[in-house]
Amino acid sequence: MIRIVDLLNQQPVGETIEVCGWLRTRRDSGALSFLEINDGSCLAGLQVVAEESLANYATEVSRLTTGCSLRIQGVLVASPAKGQDVEVQATTITVIGWADPETYPLQKKRHSFEYLRSISHLRSRTNALGAVARVRSTLSFAIHRFFHEQGFLQVHTPVITTSDCEGAGEMFTVTSLEPAQMQGSAPFSGDFFGRRAGLTVSGQLQAEIFALSHSRVYTFGPTFRAENSNTSRHLAEFWMLEPEMAFCDLNGNMEMAEVMIKYLVKAVLAECAEDLELFDRFIARGVHKKLTRLSDRPFVRLTYTEAIAELERSSRRFDFPVQWGLDLQAEHERYLCEEVAQAPVIVTNYPKKIKPFYMRLDDDGHTVAAMDILVAGIGELVGGSQREERYDLLAQRMTEAGLDLDQYSWYLDLRRYGSVPHAGYGLGFERLVQFVTGMSNIRDVIPFPRTPGSAPC
Ligand code: 4AD
Ligand code: MG
């Protein structure tokens, strides 16, 4: 058996081949049927010519409908028709599975993404969602390749944790207690882990442990946030890539993130050309040009204070207030990269009050060594910082944040023994997939979206 993508690339005309896949369309023409088969290995389908002389032509082939699964044996020939170089002259067609046309939810027409979300078990068979899945897989592999080439160690950080990295109170609780047992002043003391545990919101704190033993590490896995945000950019379960580098400051951190994003974009341009063309034509016009431009221009760097000044100068009316000390909203972030810089923007040195406890305090005492990378259409793609490596200052910020220092003594130990300047960042993987495909809703770039009120399968 050969994958359709390999068949179309190699074009072994004259050879006998076998392919398997699902029927997209059947068109009858006199004593012939033309079948278009797709096996998910590429966007293009393979044209199969089925002649009336096939043993099961009348009984089966002529009854085939969209969605049936087939095994085809035949000879690859040059195609006389427009639209494809080669086609298969079938010698046998075996129906592996039928798909009742009365009930099969995917017909040969464009379905809305909203409708496709209601059939998440079938939507990967469509052109757009099939292309998203290939781009997602390419990006995931390119991430591992990039960090491998750069000499990073991959660390598997835990999914269940007792540390709330972002301190935003968005951790899902993991418990083996029945609701009736969750009472009293210390409800979790009798729980499975003896204290409150949850699903990780970020692997950063554990990645820091390994950065302080292996220098350059990364973790890439699912993270969870019980955030009641029903937006096109938020999920309750999303994948995050988090590199962490010892002997590295904010500048080194920004440099690494920029080089990495460009590497990933180039990988998609090189390896997913056919899928990108689909996104460019049908989903987001200009997305291809946006990616090519990004890959050969420097990102624009602005401090938070400069960004606020830029927003205040603007004649644009924003829904959310612009004021030093308030966080930037997606509309502000998008304005900065779409209108002001026309390139990705790295905003640095945010007020300490709006950032988590672990970020390194700047000399002014008011801002921290944070960096967010903002991109067109999305807003925040990356959030990172240089970490506070000075014991006393970290302990003070943790106390201010209301953390129990005993519980985080292991984190403080990293500053007590052989502390070094270190930095890292988190990239929202689905936001990256959205950015490169131009898909407008984050629920359509993850196979099984989890959002408030929705986790169907
Ligand atoms: O900015 P965040 O919250 O940073 C951290 O969690 C750090 N601990 C990362 C680090 O320094 N190692 O999240 C990082 C990124 C965001 O920039 C965004 O792209 C994505 O994760 N993200 C989400 N993506 C989808 N749905 C959500 N609810 C997200 N929350 C954050
Ligand atoms: Mg952030």
Side-chain angles (χ1 to χ4, degrees), residues 165-166 201-202 204 225 227 233-236 238 240 242-244 358 372 380-385 387 424-428 430-431 442:
C165 175
E166 295 304 293
V201 297
S202 156
Q204 176 198 323
R225 292 192 188 179
E227 196 179 359
R233 308 176 316 130
H234 287 89
L235 291 164
F238 61 99
M240 203 190 329
E242 297 181 274
E244 191 70 34
Y358 54 73
D372 278 8
E380 181 187 339
L381 173 67
V382 166
S385 66
R387 319 308 186 187
Y425 58 88
L427 169 136
E430 285 71 25
R431 292 192 185 176
I442 197 164

Side-chain angles (χ1 to χ4, degrees), residues 258 262 265-266 269 286-300 337-344 376 435:
E258 181 170 340
K262 287 178 173 165
V265 164
K266 282 184 188 152
L269 283 167
V287 69
H288 191 278
K289 192 162 156 220
K290 176 183 85 176
L291 298 181
T292 345
R293 281 172 56 133
L294 174 142
S295 54
D296 55 32
R297 284 177 199 200
F299 292 6
V300 173
C337 37
E338 291 166 18
E339 310 286 332
V340 178
Q342 292 172 1
F435 179 68

Side-chain angles (χ1 to χ4, degrees), residues 27 34 47 49 78-87:
R27 188 166 52 81
F34 295 99
Q47 172 150 296
V49 184
S79 176
K82 265 201 181 139
Q84 71 255 330
D85 297 336
V86 287
E87 61 189 26

Side-chain angles (χ1 to χ4, degrees), residues 202-214:
S202 156
Q204 176 198 323
L205 302 188
Q206 291 92 352
E208 282 186 56
I209 295 176
F210 276 79
L212 274 86
S213 61
H214 288 72

